[in-house]
Amino acid sequence: MESGLNRLWTNVKALPRNVRDSVMRHGAPTSDRARSQAVFGNFFLHIHSVRVHPRSLKLTTTWALGVSLVSQFVILTVTGVLLMVYYNPSVELAYDSIKDFQYVVPTGRFIRNIHRWIAHMMVATMILHMARVFYTASYKAPREFNWVLGMFLFVLGLAFSFTGYLLPWDQLAFWAITIGANIAASPNELAAALDLPKAFYIGDIQKEILLGAGSVGQGALTRFYLLHVMVLPIIFVAGLAVHIWRIRKDGGLAHPGGNRTAAGKGVGTSDARPLTPAEQPKKTYGLMAVVAGTSPHTGKDLDETVSAWPSLLRAELAVFMATMLIAVALGLIADAPLREIANPMVPENPAKAPWYFLGLQEMVSYSAFVGGILIPAVVVIGLGLIPYLDREPEPSGVWFSGPRGRRIMGWTVVFATITAVLSVAIPVKFGWLRNWYPDISQLVIIVFNPGSLLTAAYALWSLVVIMRTRSTRLGAIALFTCFLVGFLILTYVGTYLRGPNWDFYWSQADWPVH
Amino acid sequence: MPGRLEPEPIGRRDFLGLAGWWSAGIAIVGSLLGMARLPKPRVLDEVSARFRLGAPSDFPPGTDTEIAGRNVRIVSNQEGIRAMSLICTHLGCIVGREADGGFSCPCHGSKFDPEGEPTAGPAPRALTWLAVSQSADGTLIVDKDTEVSAEEVYHV
C-alpha cells in the first residue's frame, strides 16, 4: 500500500538524481556515440566539432596559442569583475582604490597583478598566434574572413590594454590619455600643413568625443572606463564567438592534405575513392555526421579522427590549467606597476608607454599623424588584406610553406633588420630633414619621415620578392616577416635605447643625472 | 515595350515589401545617427583658460619666469611682457627647460629654441605665444585660448 507520504519520500530520495537528469539532458556518456551526442547537444560544448583530427591536438600544430588566449580572456574577465568591486572611476579616488588593492583589499594585490600580467601576456600571445596562423598559411581560403576577424580582435585587444592602463590614474595613465587624445586630434597636423580651413580639423571632434571635454579629466576617465568594462567586452565577446565558430565552419584547423569539410571547400582535399567490398557498409545506421562524401561509411573514418570528448576537452583543460599556473606564478612573483599619482603639470621623463606600444611611440616620435594613425592603419589593413591578395592554392598547415619560404624568410629577416636599424640610426646620428633644411615645408617633414620610409621599404621589398619568385605567398611571407622584425626592433629601441627627452642612449647608466 | 517614361509597373506586394525594408532601414540608421550625437558634449566643462598672473611689477624687464601650475612661461623685457605656452605642439606633453635656454619634450623628443621655434623632433609648429592683457585693477591676465604671434609684446 502506498500512501501519499511514501510517494513523497520516494521522490525526495530520488531528488538528486532527478535534478541532475533534468539539467543534463543525457546521462554521463559511456560510448563514443554518446559522447559525440553530448558535445553536439550541449550548449557550452557545441562550439566544438564532434570529432577532431589527431593532428589538431598535437602541440606543434598550434602551440595551443588560441585556446591559451581564450583561457587568458576568461582569467581577465574574472579578475576584472573582482577589481570592479572596489575600483572607483573618479579622478579623485581612482588612484586611491588601486592603492587599496595593494595594501588593504584581501588578495587585492594578487588579483590586480594577475589582471595586469595576463593582459601583457595576451598582447604577446595574440602576436604569436597571428604569426603561427600566418606562417602555416592557415589564412588561405576558406579561412580568409577568420584572419580578418583575428586582426579585428587584435586591435580590440590593444584597445583593451590601452583603456586598461589608464584606469589607475597614475602618471602613465594621465599622459597616455593626453597623448592618445592628441593622436586622435593629429589629422589637424595634416590639415594645418595643407593650409585647409578650420572645417577640415576633424581631429578636434575626435578628441572631444574621446575626452568628453576640452582637456583630460573626469570626462575622459568615465569614457575610458566605460569602454574598458562594457563596450569593448561586448564587441570582443561577439567577435570571439564568431572567430571560434568560424574555425569549425571553415573546416577545423588547417592541415596539409586538406580538410574534409561539409562545404567541401578545403584546399587540396584528397580525392574520394570507391569503397572496396570489405569497406562497404554492412549496417545502414550510425552517426552520419562524422563522414564526408556522398555515401554513408560506417565503422570507417578516412580522416582517422578522434572524439572531441575526451581528447579535445582534455587538451583544452590542460592549456587552461597551464595558463592559470602562469597567471598565479606571475601574480606571486611580481607586482603590477603603479606610477606616481597623475600630475598634469609634469610628465615623467622619459614618459614611456608599456612595451607593446613603444614601437608605436618610436613611430609617433617622427610624426603624430603619420606614425600614430596612418602607418598603423596601413599595417592593419595591409595585414588584413593578405588572404585576399595571396590566393595561391597550397596546403595549409605547412610551416613557412617549405624550404623556399624559409629561405625567403631568412633573407627578409636580414633586410628588415638592416632597414629598421638604419631608420633609427640615421636620425640619431645625422638628424633629419629639419636639421638639414631648417626652412623645409612641414608637409615634407610629415610625409618623409624614417617611419614612413621604413614602411615603404618593407612594401617595396615584398613587391620585389613577388616579382622575383612569382609567388604571392612568398611575397606575403616577406611582408609579414618585415613587420614582425620591424615591430621587434622598434620595440627594443623604445624599451632599452631611449632615455630622457626620448634621446638615444646605449644604456640606462648613461642617462644624465639630475 | 515599356520605355523610360513608362516604367515596368511594380507589384503591390513588391512595393509594400520594399517600403517595409526601406522604412526599417531608415529608422535604424536614423536612430544610430541620433545615438551617435550623444557622446559629443554640447558644453565642455572646464576651468577658464584666462587666469590672473599678478602685478606687472612682479615681472620686471629681463626676467624669464615659469608660472607653477599653469604651464606658462613669462618673458619680460624693456618692450613689455610676453607669455609662452609650455605645452608641446606635438602631442601635449609639458616641455622642460634645457641648459641652453631652449626646451625639449620628454615624450617624443621635440626640441625648441628659446623663442619656441622647433629645431628637431616631431613637433609640427612652434610653441604658442599667448595673449596678455590687463584687468581694470592693473593685474596681468593671460588667455591660454588666444594665440598671438611671437612678435606681439604687451606694453605695460
Side-chain angles (χ1 to χ4, degrees):
Chain A
M1 195 186 88
E2 201 177 24
S3 71
L5 278 181
N6 273 345
R7 226 181 297 163
L8 178 67
W9 177 237
T10 317
N11 289 350
V12 168
K13 280 195 291 185
L15 188 66
R17 185 164 47 89
N18 284 337
V19 168
R20 192 197 66 203
D21 288 353
S22 73
V23 176
M24 318 288 285
R25 294 187 295 124
H26 317 280
T30 48
S31 66
D32 263 10
R33 184 171 183 280
R35 288 194 198 100
S36 303
Q37 252 165 6
V39 172
F40 194 70
N42 181 291
F43 178 77
F44 296 101
L45 295 181
H46 87 282
I47 202 151
H48 301 97
S49 53
V50 169
R51 299 181 72 82
V52 289
H53 195 279
R55 191 181 179 279
S56 305
L57 295 174
K58 272 179 63 184
L59 182 63
T60 48
T61 305
T62 60
W63 294 102
L65 294 165
V67 177
S68 176
L69 278 170
V70 175
S71 315
Q72 290 165 34
F73 185 69
V74 170
I75 294 172
L76 285 171
T77 308
V78 173
T79 50
V81 169
L82 288 173
L83 291 175
M84 283 172 70
V85 173
Y86 288 105
Y87 175 73
N88 191 332
S90 81
V91 289
E92 287 85 21
L93 295 173
Y95 190 78
D96 292 349
S97 51
I98 303 297
K99 281 283 183 199
D100 281 351
F101 280 117
Q102 280 190 314
Y103 297 109
V104 182
V105 177
T107 75
R109 178 190 297 246
F110 181 57
I111 295 292
R112 186 174 102 88
N113 290 352
I114 290 182
H115 194 76
R116 186 64 164 261
W117 296 133
I118 292 298
H120 280 264
M121 187 174 162
M122 193 161 170
V123 176
T125 316
M126 283 195 298
I127 295 169
L128 291 176
H129 179 58
M130 198 195 297
R132 192 284 292 175
V133 169
F134 180 83
Y135 285 122
T136 56
S138 302
Y139 58 82
K140 300 240 171 188
R143 301 187 178 80
E144 309 102 312
F145 183 65
N146 223 15
W147 170 264
V148 175
L149 264 178
M151 291 301 297
F152 176 67
L153 290 175
F154 176 62
V155 173
L156 281 184
L158 291 179
F160 259 123
S161 303
F162 184 71
T163 53
Y165 71 70
L166 306 179
L167 301 182
W169 211 247
D170 58 354
Q171 278 288 66
L172 173 68
F174 184 88
W175 293 101
I177 298 191
T178 305
I179 290 169
N182 281 318
I183 288 179
S186 67
N188 290 354
E189 189 181 283
L190 194 68
L194 291 170
D195 270 335
L196 294 175
K198 277 277 178 205
F200 286 88
Y201 283 43
I202 50 163
D204 291 339
I205 301 170
Q206 301 189 53
K207 183 176 171 181
E208 232 167 67
I209 289 175
L210 272 183
L211 297 185
S215 57
V216 176
Q218 183 60 53
L221 182 55
T222 307
R223 278 160 196 241
F224 282 104
Y225 178 67
L226 179 68
L227 281 173
H228 188 75
V229 305
M230 187 58 71
V231 179
L232 290 174
I234 290 174
I235 303 175
F236 192 88
V237 166
L240 185 62
V242 180
H243 193 59
I244 295 174
W245 180 74
R246 282 298 293 250
I247 298 173
R248 191 145 97 68
K249 291 294 162 184
D250 292 343
L253 293 181
H255 68 91
N259 297 82
R260 300 162 172 284
T261 69
K265 285 174 82 181
V267 180
T269 305
S270 57
D271 39 27
R273 63 184 172 81
L275 298 178
T276 63
E279 290 169 347
Q280 294 286 347
K282 291 171 184 61
K283 297 181 287 186
T284 50
Y285 62 89
L287 189 69
M288 304 298 179
V290 299
V291 293
T294 47
S295 94
H297 315 262
T298 48
K300 173 82 190 158
D301 175 5
L302 290 179
D303 258 1
E304 293 162 337
T305 56
V306 295
S307 268
W309 180 329
S311 308
L312 179 59
L313 298 186
R314 197 188 289 147
E316 286 177 349
L317 184 66
V319 175
F320 180 73
M321 294 314 290
T323 313
M324 283 283 282
L325 184 69
I326 295 172
V328 170
L330 288 175
L332 290 175
I333 291 170
D335 278 347
L338 182 65
R339 316 271 179 94
E340 282 172 40
I341 194 165
N343 179 356
M345 292 306 136
V346 192
E348 290 180 319
N349 193 4
K352 287 194 184 188
W355 63 271
Y356 38 83
F357 284 138
L358 284 179
L360 200 61
Q361 191 165 355
E362 190 69 24
M363 288 282 180
V364 168
S365 79
Y366 301 133
S367 155
F369 174 69
V370 172
I373 293 185
L374 193 64
I375 293 176
V378 164
V379 169
V380 167
I381 293 172
L383 291 179
L385 283 180
I386 280 184
Y388 301 97
L389 300 179
D390 162 34
R391 303 191 68 83
E392 278 167 28
E394 68 173 293
S396 300
V398 180
W399 280 89
F400 312 112
S401 299
R404 240 176 126 213
R406 270 197 288 272
R407 209 165 50 239
I408 291 293
M409 187 170 150
W411 282 112
T412 304
V413 169
V414 173
F415 171 82
T417 307
I418 293 174
T419 40
V421 169
L422 282 180
S423 84
V424 176
I426 292 177
V428 166
K429 193 87 185 146
F430 303 106
W432 199 249
L433 294 168
R434 203 193 299 278
N435 308 83
W436 305 334
Y437 316 102
D439 298 322
I440 197 166
S441 142
Q442 183 59 35
L443 192 62
V444 179
I445 294 183
I446 290 177
V447 175
F448 295 98
N449 67 60
S452 61
L453 294 184
L454 183 66
T455 313
Y458 285 170
L460 208 62
W461 169 262
S462 323
L463 291 180
V464 169
V465 168
I466 290 176
M467 282 199 304
R468 294 287 294 270
T469 63
R470 296 170 190 210
S471 159
T472 49
R473 166 66 178 157
L474 294 179
I477 289 183
L479 187 68
F480 189 82
T481 308
C482 275
F483 283 127
L484 211 53
V485 171
F487 171 80
L488 286 176
I489 291 183
L490 292 186
T491 304
Y492 178 82
V493 171
T495 310
Y496 293 108
L497 304 181
R498 293 294 183 180
N501 297 331
W502 207 244
D503 288 333
F504 185 91
Y505 294 94
W506 281 112
S507 124
Q508 195 159 346
D510 304 336
W511 288 16
V513 191
H514 291 287
Chain B
M1 191 182 145
R4 192 166 57 86
L5 298 174
E6 231 179 292
E8 187 99 32
I10 180 168
R12 183 175 60 89
R13 288 177 178 226
D14 290 349
F15 174 78
L16 289 177
L18 280 177
W21 281 111
W22 275 101
S23 28
I26 290 170
I28 290 170
V29 171
S31 8
L32 285 177
L33 287 178
M35 286 188 262
R37 178 63 188 85
L38 182 138
K40 190 176 176 305
R42 176 171 285 161
V43 179
L44 302 179
D45 81 274
E46 49 197 22
V47 291
S48 167
R50 287 160 61 90
F51 68 92
R52 295 162 79 84
L53 198 57
S57 55
D58 295 345
F59 305 95
T63 57
D64 187 340
T65 329
E66 280 175 31
I67 308 300
R70 298 286 185 185
N71 296 327
V72 166
R73 160 201 180 209
I74 305 298
V75 185
S76 177
N77 56 24
Q78 294 301 335
E79 288 175 40
I81 286 178
R82 296 183 302 160
M84 189 177 89
S85 164
L86 296 177
I87 296 172
C88 182
T89 53
H90 178 229
L91 290 174
C93 292
I94 310 301
V95 297
R97 182 73 71 116
E98 292 296 300
D100 63 358
F103 297 87
S104 46
C105 176
C107 294
H108 304 95
S110 292
K111 310 243 183 289
F112 305 88
D113 69 12
E115 279 297 290
E117 287 296 324
T119 54
R125 55 202 197 89
L127 294 172
T128 48
W129 291 93
L130 306 171
V132 181
S133 55
Q134 228 168 351
S135 70
D137 63 359
T139 314
L140 289 169
I141 290 177
V142 174
D143 183 358
K144 292 169 95 172
D145 274 348
T146 310
E147 195 182 332
V148 298
S149 80
E151 286 78 40
E152 197 168 315
V153 180
Y154 182 76
H155 307 280
V156 182

